[in-house]
Amino acid sequence: MTETVTEQALSIQPIVDGHNDLPIASKYKRDYSVEGLDTGVPELHTDIPRLRAGGVGAQFWSLFVPSNTSEAEAVQATFEQIEFVHRLVARYPNAFALARTSAQVRSAIADGKIASLLGIEGGYSLGSSPAILRIFAELGVRYVTLTHNSNTAWADSGTDNPRHHGLNELGRDFIRELNGAGVLVDLSHTSPETMHAALDVSTAPVIFSHSGVRGVTDHPRNVPDDVLHRLPGNGGVLMLTFVPTFVSAEYARWFDGGREGTSPPAGITEVADHIEYARKVVGIDHIGLGGDYDGYPALANGLEDVSGYPRLLDELVHRGWTVDELVKLNGANILRVLDEADRSVR
């Protein structure tokens, strides 16, 4: 039987997703249990059968701690979530493999496993300490999201009142430390001023692990065009998210306004609109996917769980995308960024 364009693309390059909150969802819903993920866990967006159905070959597991947590508590909680990912991989060695480099990701995929990478969501988990950052890097952390919904002591969030004009001096030092450790600077959640400040300092490609574009939906969690225009020069990647409030202004108004009546459409079409807009602005070499599964109560229609990626790719094929273009979106672009970041390590 002839493969579809989507199937061809996934066979060449399975999905490398930038952001999945399984660790914190497992804490709140399952007391950090790793049991049952091989047979299905309906209260989660993520389990092994659905990852397989979605064509996922690599996943950045988000290490998220709420931003109202003290720095000391956040450091401890981040270590606990790293331990969760290690237990997950150890419990299902035929399904998962720990990975840090793009070579390790490709090796895991060749072995039929889902490469498991680590990304810290929220700079407060660094405890304002470059030494803590270096320890996390040694443990395999590949990106740090500079903020979450609140400012850190050194960086401004996109959903808080500005304090640092983007980054203060400690924040600029942290960008240099991240570059030197080969840890990607993740600008999702940050303010546009922070985005520009980080791009001014970073000598390695940056990423947005789970964001939309303001040119389609004017939401503070999305990336404005003036930042997008700088991304190709930096070499970074914008990984598009499936969160309905970020992809549809109508849905966001309904969600924030009491959620009365039927919700407006926020589905595959709207996500594809963000992807196509981003491609138009930054080019095919600077986009990827970062769903934010298990980090939000409900994702876009048709993308309700991690099995949904092929449906999104089918929509893009319907819009004229080729195998080679899907391969870049699926994961080739972010793997290239990992390679470039490794070359920046001091």
Side-chain angles (χ1 to χ4, degrees):
M1 186 166 63
T2 304
E3 283 187 319
T4 67
V5 173
T6 291
E7 289 168 341
Q8 291 177 58
L10 287 171
S11 68
I12 296 168
Q13 177 58 70
I15 300 295
V16 182
D17 182 271
H19 195 90
N20 184 303
D21 278 294
L22 179 64
I24 193 67
S26 295
K27 175 184 179 180
Y28 289 146
K29 296 180 179 181
R30 309 180 77 236
D31 195 27
Y32 278 137
S33 173
V34 297
E35 297 305 314
L37 288 167
D38 53 343
T39 56
V41 184
E43 67 266 31
L44 298 173
H45 298 150
T46 308
D47 54 41
I48 293 168
R50 287 181 287 175
L51 286 165
R52 296 295 197 193
V56 177
Q59 180 64 67
F60 283 90
W61 301 114
S62 170
L63 311 173
F64 168 68
V65 182
S67 55
N68 60 358
T69 308
S70 72
E71 286 190 341
E73 292 171 323
V75 171
Q76 175 179 324
T78 303
F79 280 118
E80 291 171 355
Q81 292 192 31
I82 291 173
E83 192 269 343
F84 167 83
V85 175
H86 280 255
R87 281 193 294 112
L88 174 72
V89 172
R91 177 65 179 81
Y92 304 105
N94 294 325
F96 297 110
L98 289 170
R100 186 181 187 281
T101 66
S102 60
Q104 289 169 343
V105 170
R106 294 187 178 98
S107 177
I109 291 171
D111 289 339
K113 299 180 181 182
I114 299 163
S116 292
L117 302 110
L118 302 173
I120 288 175
E121 185 176 23
Y124 40 85
S125 288
L126 303 181
S128 295
S129 168
I132 295 293
L133 163 61
R134 290 190 287 269
I135 291 169
F136 282 137
E138 288 293 325
L139 291 174
V141 168
R142 281 316 314 252
Y143 73 65
V144 171
T145 317
L146 302 188
T147 72
H148 190 248
N149 290 337
S150 302
N151 301 332
T152 66
W154 43 274
D156 286 338
S157 168
T159 49
D160 199 353
N161 296 318
R163 289 175 50 202
H164 308 299
H165 298 289
L167 296 171
N168 61 21
E169 191 54 43
L170 177 59
R172 289 186 286 273
D173 286 344
F174 261 121
I175 301 300
R176 299 181 188 102
E177 289 284 347
L178 288 161
N179 288 168
V183 178
L184 300 174
V185 174
D186 176 20
L187 297 178
S188 285
H189 282 286
T190 65
S191 71
E193 195 171 11
T194 305
M195 297 172 191
H196 280 294
L199 284 163
D200 288 342
V201 176
S202 183
T203 56
V206 305
I207 66 166
F208 295 83
S209 67
H210 59 307
S211 291
V213 290
R214 292 199 190 186
V216 178
T217 306
D218 189 12
H219 190 283
R221 272 285 283 105
N222 291 340
V223 187
D225 280 9
D226 62 337
V227 174
L228 292 177
H229 285 303
R230 297 187 63 183
L231 201 57
N234 165 266
V237 169
L238 168 66
M239 307 182 84
L240 283 305
T241 189
F242 307 160
V243 175
T245 51
F246 304 165
V247 302
S248 166
E250 286 185 283
Y251 185 97
R253 284 192 292 270
W254 170 84
F255 187 87
D256 295 335
R259 306 174 210 177
E260 295 182 3
T262 304
S263 63
I268 287 174
T269 298
E270 286 71 27
V271 173
D273 289 345
H274 278 255
I275 293 171
E276 293 225 280
Y277 186 93
R279 173 186 173 169
K280 180 179 70 174
V281 177
V282 303
I284 191 64
D285 295 320
H286 301 282
I287 54 175
L289 299 173
D292 202 6
Y293 285 111
D294 283 305
Y296 202 82
L299 278 293
N301 296 332
L303 297 167
E304 291 87 354
D305 60 48
V306 293
S307 69
Y309 298 96
R311 292 188 287 275
L312 175 60
L313 301 187
D314 285 344
E315 170 65 20
L316 295 174
V317 172
H318 180 70
R319 298 181 183 208
W321 285 51
T322 67
V323 169
D324 289 345
E325 290 165 344
L326 292 179
V327 163
K328 292 186 175 186
L329 176 75
N330 287 357
N333 288 338
I334 187 62
L335 293 180
R336 184 259 307 161
V337 166
L338 287 177
D339 281 337
E340 292 187 27
D342 284 339
R343 288 195 287 272
S344 74
V345 174
R346 293 192 295 271

